Amino acid sequence: EALACEPNVDVTWVDDAASLAAADLAVLPGTRATVDDLRWITARGLDRALVERAARGRPILGICGGFQILARSIDDDVESGAGAVDGLGLLDVDVVFHRDKTLRRFSGHGGLDPVHGYEIHHGRVVRSGEEPWLHDDETGPEGARRGAVFGTHCHGLLESDRFRRAFLAEVAASNGLRRFRPDPRLQVAAVREAQLDLLADLVDEHLDVVA
C-alpha cells in the first residue's frame, strides 16, 4: 500500500517468471502459510526466477513470511507441519517456527532513517550469516541483507516516509533509473487518513446509520 501511494511507482501482483524478471523490485509479502507459499512459488518456476534475479543484483524484498521464504532453511511444525524444508537460500538465515507468536510494535532505524512498524509471526531467526538490515531500538539487529536482497520481519516499514524514499532511491539506482525521484512531499499516513475520511463520507451519504 505504501509503495502504491508513490505517484511514480506501479505495483502489480504477478504469478509468472517473465513478469517477475521485468520488475524493478520484487516483493515477497507476508503470509500465514510460509511453506505452502514456498511450494506455490516453486511450482510456478518463480523460485528459479528469484535466484536468477539475485544473481544479477536485481532488488528483492521479503517481508515476514516472504523473508522466511528467502532463508536457507525453514523448520515448521506449527503452521504447515512440514518440519525442516529448504528455503530459497538467497539469505544465509535459518528460521524455526515456535508455537507462541511474536506480536509487538517495531521502532528502530534503517541507516540514518527512522522505521516504525509491527511484527506478527511464529517463525524466528535462530541463525544468520548475513549483515542485519535494520536496527530495533529494543532488541538490536533485525532482518538481513545480502547485496540487493533484503529481508525483515517488520510489517509496515515502508510507511516510514524517509526510509521508503531512501530505499526506493537505492532500488532505482540499482536499475539505472537515474531520473526516478520519490515524491518528497508524500506522507503515507496522510493518504490513509484521506482514504478513511472518504470512506466515512460515503457510508454517511449512502447508508442509514443509527448513532
Side-chain angles (χ1 to χ4, degrees):
E1 182 182 2
L3 290 175
C5 289
E6 287 282 352
N8 297 317
V9 174
D10 292 324
V11 178
T12 305
W13 293 90
V14 303
D15 60 2
D16 65 282
S19 297
L20 189 150
D24 297 311
L25 170 67
V27 181
L28 280 68
T31 171
R32 294 183 180 181
T34 299
V35 173
D36 286 343
D37 283 353
L38 172 60
R39 291 167 175 161
W40 183 90
I41 286 171
T42 302
R44 284 158 178 78
L46 298 176
D47 57 334
R48 296 187 300 275
L50 287 164
V51 170
E52 292 170 3
R53 182 182 182 89
R56 297 197 306 271
R58 304 287 308 286
I60 299 171
L61 169 61
I63 299 174
C64 200
F67 173 30
Q68 296 163 6
I69 287 171
L70 296 176
R72 186 183 72 91
S73 70
I74 305 166
D75 193 347
D76 175 20
D77 286 324
V78 179
E79 286 183 352
S80 67
V85 300
D86 293 332
L88 296 184
L90 298 183
L91 291 171
D92 185 19
V93 169
D94 295 322
V95 174
V96 174
F97 277 60
H98 292 241
R99 295 200 174 277
D100 56 313
K101 180 177 287 188
T102 297
L103 180 60
R104 60 186 293 269
R105 292 187 179 275
F106 179 96
S107 181
H109 58 271
L112 299 176
D113 299 311
V115 176
H116 302 283
Y118 65 93
E119 294 183 47
I120 178 170
H121 52 92
H122 286 287
R124 300 179 187 174
V125 174
V126 295
R127 187 201 63 82
S128 176
E130 307 290 3
E131 63 175 292
W133 183 29
L134 308 174
H135 183 88
D136 187 319
D137 290 342
E138 182 179 334
T139 61
E142 205 287 321
R145 174 180 183 176
R146 181 195 295 178
V149 180
F150 306 83
T152 178
H153 274 125
C154 178
H155 289 271
L157 78 166
L158 295 178
E159 296 177 20
S160 300
D161 296 315
R162 280 176 46 190
F163 177 81
R164 182 187 63 259
R165 287 194 286 268
F167 178 66
L168 286 177
E170 183 174 356
V171 168
S174 70
N175 283 284
L177 303 174
R178 294 179 177 83
R179 295 185 178 182
F180 174 83
R181 294 290 186 274
D183 186 347
R185 301 163 299 176
L186 176 65
Q187 296 181 341
V188 170
V191 173
R192 178 178 290 112
E193 189 70 22
Q195 291 171 338
L196 292 173
D197 286 343
L198 175 60
L199 179 61
D201 290 342
L202 290 171
V203 169
D204 184 58
E205 181 179 354
H206 295 287
L207 297 178
D208 293 328
V209 180
V210 179

